[in-house]
Amino acid sequence: MDLSRRALIRGAAGASLALSGALDAATRPAPRPAAAVSGPIIDLHSHWISPAVLASLGQRLSGPRVLHDDRGRTLLARPLAGQAGPAAVLGPSWLDIDVRLAHLESLGIAHQLLSWPTTLGIDPNLSPAESVALWSAYNTDLAAVVRAHPRQFSGLAALSTSDIGWSVRELQRGHQELGFIGGVLPVNGFASLDAASHFAPILEAAQRLGSHLFLHTGFAHQSVSGQPPLTLHADTAEVRGALDTAWQFASSVVTLGYTEFLDPYPDVTVQIAMLGGSGVSALLAESVTRSGIALSPRFKRLLFDTGAAGQGPAAIAAASRVFGASQVVFGSDYGPSADIGGVVRHVAEAGLAPADHARVLFGNAAALLGRHGVTVGG
């Protein structure tokens, strides 16, 4: 399994959104009045690309690299199936902190948790030495943003999936020197017990530090065995991509929710992006519960955010119903998405009770951040 040829399939995130839309259409309850947003919002799923990353990737001549087109746009080129894939445009929402701050203020977003977007498939395509250098520089840049804007931002350390020893030390540096509350890792690194075992040293460090770990879309380095394939079938790529991404997320939720992997780490909180794959994880848990398998108490250790493919009102309603609204948090996926307002509306349209609506938008995240000494006004 050559991960130099296994960057995420083009459009996987968009395909997941399509699956979320299909789920929404199939399971949407009767329309109810949308809840009004009457207070601040905390966003636990947003991304930023730092100047150090742009400079480093701008020096590369092959593989993942940053380019500039004749219109002056910043582009990220990634390998796809052994060839150069279409470049992604990195606009102001990815790069410009001032643009971000203005957007947050316009919508009443009181605080954002910033992280590296593992979707981009950079780490799997780098050598251990390259990844260590890149993520160390990124984390230093991110810490400067958090220090400059502590009221608006918290941060998560980007970690190498090929040099686990370094990642243990970097997680510690993140907590003790950089002011971070935890780290971000690719969700496919937890799709099986075999894969998750590679990260046990990071979990052990996270337990000592009381870390928050964010599992986001993406693959770990090829040295991490037990990951699912990029895609099972070559036909109907957009639809297969949606299905495969949802399956990858659900597999990781099974590992974390139904095995004993997390049991030695009771002080680690784990956030799973996109409601665990377009809300599929909630429907899976509900299905197995109906077949006689009790909903695992370990789900109280997991938080599910509404980023990207998890933003559909029916998916939000399903996750809140199955896992409890106390386990659902607001996430916008700002960075690749330039408008948070749509996700705010989708949460309002999920038909949650007013108290649960407030928990999802603010209360659950405020409690999490409070554990790390971050107070956000309510």
Side-chain angles (χ1 to χ4, degrees):
M1 182 172 61
D2 181 3
L3 282 179
S4 68
R5 299 186 299 108
R6 255 185 43 169
L8 285 174
I9 190 168
R10 178 170 62 95
S16 294
L17 278 169
L19 180 62
S20 181
L23 173 68
D24 229 40
T27 62
R28 184 188 294 275
R32 307 180 202 176
V37 178
S38 58
I41 299 169
I42 298 175
D43 181 1
L44 293 186
H45 182 163
S46 72
H47 304 298
W48 178 65
I49 296 179
S50 82
V53 168
L54 292 178
S56 178
L57 295 181
Q59 296 172 3
R60 292 178 63 88
L61 300 178
S62 62
R65 60 199 184 278
V66 166
L67 309 168
H68 299 278
D69 66 11
D70 55 9
R71 296 166 57 184
R73 298 182 303 174
T74 300
L75 308 177
L76 176 66
R78 295 173 288 161
L80 180 67
Q83 301 176 356
V89 178
L90 302 179
S93 59
W94 279 113
L95 309 172
D96 193 317
I97 289 295
D98 290 334
V99 168
R100 179 184 296 257
L101 286 169
H103 188 59
L104 299 185
E105 184 175 2
S106 72
L107 291 172
I109 310 296
H111 199 84
Q112 263 192 342
L113 181 59
L114 304 180
S115 62
W116 172 259
T118 56
T119 320
L120 297 181
I122 305 298
D123 188 77
N125 289 283
L126 299 179
S127 69
E130 289 173 320
S131 71
V132 163
L134 189 67
W135 304 140
S136 179
Y138 174 82
N139 291 336
T140 298
D141 277 357
L142 180 57
V145 171
V146 172
R147 281 195 299 269
H149 305 281
R151 184 174 65 84
Q152 291 93 347
F153 299 126
S154 297
L156 296 172
L159 302 174
S160 169
T161 61
S162 55
D163 190 333
I164 301 300
W166 176 85
S167 291
V168 167
R169 297 188 295 274
E170 187 68 358
L171 184 63
Q172 181 171 319
R173 181 173 85 104
H175 278 276
Q176 298 178 351
E177 299 179 24
L178 303 182
F180 295 163
I181 70 168
V184 59
L185 289 166
V187 75
N188 287 314
F190 296 82
S192 68
L193 272 175
D194 179 25
S197 67
H198 291 264
F199 299 99
I202 295 177
L203 271 292
E204 291 166 5
Q207 171 64 21
R208 294 192 298 270
L209 296 162
S211 298
H212 179 63
L213 296 181
F214 180 28
L215 304 188
H216 187 262
T217 320
F219 286 89
H221 192 264
Q222 61 186 346
S223 58
V224 178
S225 60
Q227 296 185 80
L230 173 61
T231 184
L232 289 176
H233 305 285
D235 60 283
T236 56
E238 292 296 321
V239 179
R240 296 288 188 186
L243 180 62
D244 291 342
T245 300
W247 168 58
Q248 291 155 9
F249 267 98
S251 296
S252 298
V253 169
V254 170
T255 300
L256 299 171
Y258 288 102
T259 77
E260 298 177 353
F261 176 77
L262 278 182
D263 291 358
Y265 319 114
D267 298 322
V268 178
T269 52
V270 179
Q271 175 185 339
I272 302 175
M274 304 195 304
L275 297 180
S278 310
V280 168
S281 291
L283 299 182
L284 173 64
E286 188 171 53
S287 176
V288 299
T289 299
R290 287 174 177 168
S291 70
I293 301 174
L295 186 68
S296 170
R298 296 185 183 92
F299 282 112
K300 294 301 180 184
R301 299 279 312 281
L302 307 178
L303 295 172
F304 299 86
D305 76 52
T306 63
Q311 67 171 272
I316 295 167
S320 300
R321 181 183 71 249
V322 176
F323 301 130
S326 60
Q327 307 311 121
V328 180
V329 294
F330 181 83
S332 68
D333 223 322
Y334 185 84
S337 169
D339 181 15
I340 298 174
V343 192
V344 176
R345 290 191 296 273
H346 289 165
V347 176
E349 293 166 0
L352 305 180
D356 289 341
H357 182 250
R359 288 187 186 98
V360 170
L361 290 182
F362 182 83
N364 296 334
L368 169 69
L369 293 172
R371 288 185 50 200
H372 299 276
V374 178
T375 302
V376 182

